[in-house]
Amino acid sequence: MSVVEKAGANVLKAAFAKKDKKNKKDKKKRDAAELTETPQTGEPEKIDLDFSAMAHHGFYNPQDRSSQLALEMRAVKRRLLRRIGYLRSSGERQAFRTPGKQRNVILITSTRAGEGKTFTAINLALSLALEDQIETLLIDADLSRPKIRERLNLPEAAGLHDRIRNPKLDVESLGWRLNAAPLTIMPEGAQAERPTDLFATKNAQDMWTELSTANPQRLIIIDAPPVLAATDAVMLAKYADEIVFVVEANSTPEAAVAAAVDELIDINPNVSLMLNRCQIGAGGAHYGSYEYYDRSESAPAPAGKPSSEG
């Protein structure tokens, strides 16, 4: 074989090798795509939380139901559940809820980071599930700065972002399920570059509708980003039935709170204020930490226990 023939053979061999490598790479991509497009069904992984360790960081402890935090969560829940029609004015739980009018999606947000919204979302979900045995789904929708997994010491897993991107994923199988209580936790999932655009998609709208209607007795607690930090919370407000707006006492400027709340009210009028980290004097009330906000009246300055950031 001549030098030219040898060179031609080498070139041909290299071309086939390159094509074969490309085919293998393409096949790997197709396999990955097929895997993510395949409907995933099942149940969330069952877990136990270390409530003793969590209590050291200020979180709700089911073994200490007479603590100030437990009492405050009880007051918050009572008013919240009445507002969404889950409880009658007498305090009795509704025997059934009207189809199509579940009012079971509750958004937790704040003006800026560090005011306690994640702390509030976690404690509210724990209290509802552990004390009242209400079916509860806690979702981390702060895709830019997720905190729930970190606070609960949970590993990375598929979650909200993955489900919105791929509607074929079974939303009921994502996250973790507590062994001791009717609480499911859905993490943020894969990193999202543009959460606002993601939340504006039809996939997102369909997912929130599916979650809300799947079980009218279930309460969905969404930990959303701060309003003035991103537009994500305003977008998510469209899907919520009730918004709990957390304000850090003696810290957040009133003008900032007003601006953030006005942003929300333009989308959803069902906004309530919750004052966090408010110092209580001797004999102070513990049950004024949740009030309805309206443009025509000023919310009172209630009292509450200083609590963790979130």
Side-chain angles (χ1 to χ4, degrees):
M1 184 181 290
S2 67
V3 175
V4 174
E5 288 175 331
K6 287 181 181 179
N10 289 336
V11 169
L12 190 61
K13 183 178 180 181
F16 276 113
K18 186 175 181 181
K19 185 176 181 180
D20 185 56
K21 185 177 181 181
K22 183 178 184 298
N23 288 338
K24 288 181 178 179
K25 187 175 181 181
D26 290 343
K27 184 178 183 301
K28 188 175 181 181
K29 287 182 178 180
R30 286 196 302 272
D31 291 343
E34 289 174 1
L35 180 63
T36 56
E37 290 174 2
T38 302
Q40 303 295 310
T41 59
E43 296 181 353
E45 178 185 349
K46 297 294 183 66
I47 62 168
D48 292 305
L49 295 176
D50 188 345
F51 293 113
S52 296
M54 291 169 56
H56 287 297
H57 297 283
F59 288 104
Y60 177 84
N61 186 349
Q63 304 303 320
D64 188 9
R65 298 193 176 186
S66 61
S67 67
Q68 184 174 319
L69 176 62
L71 295 174
E72 290 173 350
M73 283 294 108
R74 222 163 280 158
V76 169
K77 288 184 302 182
R78 186 167 58 248
R79 297 187 186 189
L80 175 61
L81 294 177
R82 282 206 303 265
R83 281 185 55 76
I84 63 175
Y86 203 92
L87 291 182
R88 296 188 178 93
S89 58
S90 63
E92 296 177 338
R93 190 177 301 184
Q94 295 279 23
F96 64 90
R97 311 195 75 196
T98 306
K101 297 181 180 180
Q102 285 78 11
R103 287 190 54 76
N104 56 354
V105 180
I106 301 160
L107 187 78
I108 314 292
T109 187
S110 59
T111 302
R112 57 189 185 184
E115 295 192 73
K117 65 176 185 61
T118 300
F119 179 83
T120 299
I122 293 175
N123 280 319
L124 181 59
L126 290 173
S127 183
L128 287 166
L130 291 163
E131 185 173 82
D132 301 292
Q133 293 298 302
I134 293 176
E135 185 69 37
T136 306
L137 173 60
L138 174 62
I139 301 177
D140 195 338
D142 193 346
L143 301 187
S144 298
R145 295 185 62 185
K147 292 289 184 63
I148 289 179
R149 282 193 306 102
E150 175 190 340
R151 299 294 170 83
L152 300 182
N153 195 27
L154 297 170
E156 292 185 3
L160 179 63
H161 179 217
D162 307 281
R163 175 54 177 77
I164 296 176
R165 291 292 302 273
N166 182 6
K168 292 186 178 181
L169 288 174
D170 179 17
V171 69
E172 300 293 346
S173 68
L174 297 175
W176 303 273
R177 174 80 174 184
L178 262 63
N179 282 312
L183 173 63
T184 302
I185 302 163
M186 184 191 295
E188 74 284 1
Q191 184 176 0
E193 294 182 0
R194 297 177 179 175
T196 302
D197 293 344
L198 185 74
F199 293 143
T201 62
K202 187 177 185 300
N203 284 352
Q205 179 179 348
D206 291 344
M207 187 204 69
W208 295 119
T209 300
E210 178 184 344
L211 284 173
S212 176
T213 57
N215 183 356
Q217 299 299 326
R218 176 174 61 184
L219 298 184
I220 301 168
I221 310 297
I222 304 172
D223 180 22
V227 175
L228 297 187
T231 56
D232 304 4
V234 175
M235 183 61 66
L236 288 167
K238 296 194 307 180
Y239 309 120
D241 299 303
E242 184 74 16
I243 298 172
V244 177
F245 189 89
V246 180
V247 179
E248 183 180 6
N250 304 315
S251 176
T252 311
E254 184 178 344
V257 172
V261 171
D262 281 345
E263 287 264 359
L264 293 172
I265 286 182
D266 283 340
I267 303 297
N268 188 330
N270 300 311
V271 181
S272 303
L273 295 183
M274 182 174 179
L275 194 60
N276 190 34
R277 299 197 191 96
C278 181
Q279 300 292 339
I280 301 175
H286 299 292
Y287 299 104
S289 56
Y290 185 76
E291 296 294 340
Y292 180 66
Y293 178 91
D294 188 275
R295 279 194 174 114
S296 61
E297 61 182 4
S298 299
K305 179 183 177 181
S307 52
S308 303
E309 294 183 0

